[in-house]
Amino acid sequence: ANFLDVGGGATAEQVKNAFQIITADPSVKAVLVNIFGGIMKCDIIAQGIVDACKTLDLKVPVVVRLEGTNVEIGKKMLEESGLDLITADDLDDAAQKAVAAIQ
């Protein structure tokens, strides 16, 4: 497993760059994004995820769990993106969905 923390002040561009770093490793089989907090805004993370998925031609499943500031806006952005993203309600749900997606 790889782990990358974009930090509390990340921009959408930094999130996209994080995806580029993680997916550069050919052994990565899925990306699990787990956001839980009040400092990082979920809509910014969601925009970065959408941008990454649209520009990086990702070949792995992306599982997203958002909780925190602007969570409803972020979830709506993911839903309306038209992308094949897997959303989760909590970390356990996200982990189970990530494992299922690569089986």
Side-chain angles (χ1 to χ4, degrees):
N2 287 344
F3 176 82
L4 183 64
D5 185 347
V6 295
T11 65
E13 181 71 16
Q14 288 169 319
V15 174
K16 186 182 86 152
N17 291 341
F19 267 74
Q20 194 167 16
I21 291 166
I22 289 287
T23 58
D25 181 346
S27 65
V28 170
K29 304 291 186 239
V31 175
L32 189 159
V33 178
N34 180 49
I35 299 298
F36 180 81
I39 296 172
M40 191 65 245
K41 294 182 175 136
C42 293
D43 56 321
I44 302 297
I45 294 292
Q47 187 62 60
I49 292 167
V50 169
D51 292 349
C53 291
K54 286 185 175 179
T55 61
L56 297 178
D57 189 33
L58 299 179
K59 304 287 189 212
V60 297
V62 177
V63 181
V64 183
R65 182 269 180 131
L66 297 177
E67 190 60 52
T69 304
N70 295 348
V71 67
E72 294 306 323
I73 297 168
K75 286 181 177 181
K76 186 175 180 183
M77 292 170 73
L78 296 177
E79 282 177 25
E80 294 177 351
S81 70
L83 297 167
D84 189 22
L85 300 169
I86 302 166
T87 58
D89 297 322
D90 57 38
L91 182 55
D92 287 340
D93 185 37
Q96 290 173 8
K97 286 179 175 178
V99 170
I102 62 171
Q103 306 246 335

